[in-house]
């Protein structure tokens, strides 16, 4: 579930971790320290290894210093502070990682997952907050595929408001996609990623389509002789069909790019502007956010969002409270209800996520269908917004795990979230 946002080399797909969280801390390694930093400590977008571990542990907090971006304004109003009631007992909460018989504490999991920041809200109050690595309370971090869930939320809002017909064919909204695989798909199939697309996100395969997508979206000048697509939207027009739409869930980043185009076409506003106007300016955000963009300034709807950790927790609180925050309704309840209800579990099962058995996918959110009704936004290298309605809990986390795949941290993340939820339900 990697976002091909930045045209990084295949080395990104490495799963080995030769250094611990402490050893790979960017402050310890001194990346980009000095005026100017020495050559062996410099990180540039034009370097092929700028997002390979351990450099990636610095890069995740500094995308706007490396590449063009577009802002998501919080507007001129003041932030609405989050109430605080820190619970020192959370660090000692224990759980058993999936596939292990050795217990781990919440505090131990922080470093095990190369966490850069994690915050826990319970009944709207901050009960836990901790930072490390490149991040602090004033910093911003790449959300990776958590971005998809924000795009999906905008899409669900517009469906609930009647601006977008979820049953409409994509080519009736974006005629430029008529000859692509998306042309005869419905908006709902795009939003739930049940489209049949010839698109591989196998990062170990240099011929996988994900790398062509990355090439198209990169704002860097194209090499001499390059004749391929030069923007995300140009790339979408080249995607070919494989299989039947609506038959199975298949996680493919280009679906979210397509939804971003649908949203922009129906509203006349790119996702960055719409997110600002509909949510970011009204939820009491502490910081502006931003998206990385392609060479035409198109926000990367599938993985380019960056924000502060507390503001990501506010998104979780908005979802937990059914579309309201600080006493204001920002999202139609119908949109939140649709996401929380989940998608087709049988179609999801065909994707073969061994660690997510019984889950589904709806509106670009991952739905657990567990006893607590938990659902979440997920991004590579450990990004997450986890919402547990039964426990009235939200967890937002930024990480820079050396392995992109969530399968590397799910065993020490999913049971940890559940353990904290269970703890908070008995410690009101």
């Amino acid at each position: 579930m990697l976002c091909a946002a930045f045209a990084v080399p295949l080395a990104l797909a490495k799963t080995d971790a030769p250094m611990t969280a402490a050893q790979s801390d960017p402050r310890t390694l001194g990346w980009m320290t000095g005026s100017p930093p020495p050559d062996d400590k410099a990180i540039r977008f034009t370097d092929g290894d700028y997002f390979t571990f351990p450099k990636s542990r610095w890069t995740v907090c500094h995308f706007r210093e490396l590449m063009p971006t577009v802002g998501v304004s919080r507007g001129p109003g003041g932030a609405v502070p989050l109430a605080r009631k820190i619970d020192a007992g959370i660090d000692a909460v224990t759980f058993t990682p999936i596939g292990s018989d050795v217990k781990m504490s919440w505090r131990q999991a922080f470093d095990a997952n190369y966490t850069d920041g994690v915050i826990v809200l319970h009944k709207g109050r901050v009960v836990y907050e901790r930072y490390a690595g490149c991040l602090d309370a004033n910093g911003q971090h790449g959300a990776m595929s958590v971005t998809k869930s924000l795009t999906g939320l905008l899409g669900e809002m517009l469906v609930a408001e009647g601006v977008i017909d979820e049953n409409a064919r994509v080519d009736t909204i974006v005629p430029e996609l008529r000859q692509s695989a998306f042309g005869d798909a419905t908006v709902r199939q795009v939003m739930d990623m049940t489209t049949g697309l010839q698109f591989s996100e196998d990062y170990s395969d240099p011929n996988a389509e994900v790398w062509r997508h990355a090439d198209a979206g990169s704002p860097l000048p194209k090499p001499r002789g390059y004749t391929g697509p030069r923007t995300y939207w140009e790339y979408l027009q080249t995607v070919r069909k494989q299989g039947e739409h609506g038959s199975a869930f298949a996680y493919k980043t280009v679906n979210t790019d397509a939804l971003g185009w649908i949203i922009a076409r129906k509203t006349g506003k790119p996702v960055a502007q719409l997110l600002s106007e509909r949510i970011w300016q009204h939820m009491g955000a502490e910081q502006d956010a931003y998206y990385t963009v392609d060479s035409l300034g198109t926000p990367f709807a599938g993985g380019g969002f960056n924000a502060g950790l507390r503001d990501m927790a506010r998104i979780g609180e908005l979802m937990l409270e059914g579309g309201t925050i600080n006493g204001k309704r920002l999202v139609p309840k119908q949109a939140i209800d649709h996401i929380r209800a989940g998608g087709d579990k049988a179609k999801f099962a065909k994707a073969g996520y061994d660690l997510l058995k019984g889950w589904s996918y709806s509106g670009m959110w991952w739905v657990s269908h567990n006893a607590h009704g938990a659902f979440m936004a997920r991004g590579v290298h450990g990004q997450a917004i986890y919402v547990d309605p039964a426990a009235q809990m939200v967890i937002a986390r930024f990480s820079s795990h050396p392995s992109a795949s969530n399968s590397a941290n799910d065993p020490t993340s999913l049971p940890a979230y559940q353990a904290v939820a269970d703890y908070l339900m008995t410690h009101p």
Side-chain angles (χ1 to χ4, degrees):
M1 293 182 289
L2 179 62
C3 302
F6 314 119
V8 295
L10 288 174
L12 177 59
K14 285 185 176 180
T15 58
D16 58 320
M19 305 170 75
T20 65
Q23 292 167 339
S24 62
D25 189 307
R27 298 167 299 182
T28 300
L29 296 179
W31 297 121
M32 297 296 283
T33 300
S35 305
D39 286 345
D40 65 342
K41 298 299 181 182
I43 298 176
R44 300 176 177 86
F45 183 38
T46 50
D47 293 340
D49 64 348
Y50 82 101
F51 199 57
T52 54
F53 183 83
K55 287 185 177 181
S56 57
R57 301 210 67 207
W58 179 89
T59 301
V60 288
C61 293
H62 298 278
F63 283 120
R64 65 180 173 187
E65 296 162 46
L66 300 176
M67 61 189 71
T69 63
V70 62
V72 177
S73 174
R74 57 175 294 276
V80 177
L82 293 170
R84 300 179 70 83
K85 187 181 180 182
I86 300 301
D87 187 335
I90 291 176
D91 266 332
V93 171
T94 61
F95 62 95
T96 303
I98 298 171
S100 172
D101 57 5
V102 179
K103 285 189 175 294
M104 177 181 284
S105 71
W106 175 261
R107 183 173 183 83
Q108 289 172 321
F110 187 93
D111 283 341
N113 291 319
Y114 294 78
T115 308
D116 298 319
V118 64
I119 186 169
V120 182
L121 305 186
H122 183 224
K123 299 180 179 179
R125 300 177 297 194
V126 178
V127 293
Y128 188 93
E129 186 174 12
R130 182 183 173 191
Y131 297 91
C134 64
L135 192 63
D136 60 28
N138 299 312
Q140 295 169 310
H141 194 289
M144 309 302 172
S145 284
V146 168
T147 310
K148 292 180 173 65
S149 296
L150 296 177
T151 306
L153 178 59
L154 292 174
E156 291 287 4
M157 290 170 62
L158 296 172
V159 168
E161 293 166 352
V163 176
I164 293 176
D165 177 2
E166 65 181 352
N167 297 311
R169 280 176 48 132
V170 170
D171 61 4
T172 65
I173 301 172
V174 184
E176 295 93 327
L177 290 174
R178 182 165 294 129
Q179 300 303 317
S180 77
F182 295 102
D184 62 345
T186 67
V187 173
R188 174 52 59 191
Q189 288 165 345
V190 169
M191 293 176 68
D192 292 350
M193 293 206 191
T194 58
T195 48
L197 310 178
Q198 182 180 315
F199 186 87
S200 169
E201 296 201 25
D202 179 357
Y203 301 95
S204 65
D205 178 4
N207 297 313
E209 288 85 356
V210 66
W211 298 112
R212 308 294 78 76
H213 175 241
D215 290 340
S218 172
L220 291 173
K222 300 297 185 278
R224 184 183 299 273
Y226 179 85
T227 59
R230 295 173 176 269
T231 67
Y232 290 123
W233 291 351
E234 283 185 10
Y235 180 82
L236 294 178
Q237 297 174 65
T238 73
V239 177
R240 303 271 70 86
K241 193 172 181 179
Q242 181 174 294
E244 293 300 316
H245 297 317
S247 64
F249 168 74
Y251 184 89
K252 299 179 189 296
T253 295
V254 287
N255 280 298
T256 317
D257 290 334
L259 179 58
W261 198 351
I262 291 166
I263 289 171
R265 185 59 57 83
K266 292 297 290 186
T267 66
K269 300 174 181 179
V271 291
Q273 181 181 350
L274 193 64
L275 181 63
S276 171
E277 293 180 357
R278 296 298 305 270
I279 294 177
W280 222 254
Q281 293 185 37
H282 306 287
M283 71 173 191
E286 294 183 19
Q287 302 183 51
D288 292 341
Y290 68 93
Y291 284 84
T292 58
V293 299
D294 65 15
S295 60
L296 276 184
T298 304
F300 179 37
F305 189 69
N306 294 253
L309 183 66
R310 291 174 182 168
D311 289 335
M312 298 306 281
R314 287 178 168 91
I315 290 292
E317 190 68 12
L318 177 69
M319 301 298 293
L320 176 67
E321 296 300 325
T324 67
I325 191 168
N326 304 321
K328 297 186 293 185
R329 174 159 298 283
L330 305 185
V331 181
K333 184 176 183 295
Q334 176 186 341
I336 306 297
D337 288 347
H338 191 279
I339 290 169
R340 288 173 58 165
D344 188 314
K345 289 192 283 186
K347 292 178 181 178
F348 183 88
K350 294 179 181 180
Y353 290 104
D354 291 338
L355 297 175
L356 303 178
K357 292 186 182 301
W359 287 54
S360 72
Y361 194 78
S362 177
M364 301 194 176
W365 288 76
W366 304 77
V367 182
S368 75
H369 298 285
N370 69 6
H372 286 199
F375 60 102
M376 67 184 299
R378 294 160 56 84
V380 290
H381 300 285
Q383 322 318 318
I385 301 175
Y386 185 88
V387 183
D388 187 316
Q392 296 178 268
M393 180 192 77
V394 170
I395 298 175
R397 186 183 72 185
F398 283 138
S399 295
S400 48
H401 197 289
S403 175
S405 174
N406 276 299
S407 62
N409 65 73
D410 276 347
T412 50
S413 297
L414 298 179
Y417 300 155
Q418 181 67 54
V420 171
D422 292 341
Y423 169 84
L424 291 174
M425 291 178 76
T426 59
H427 294 74

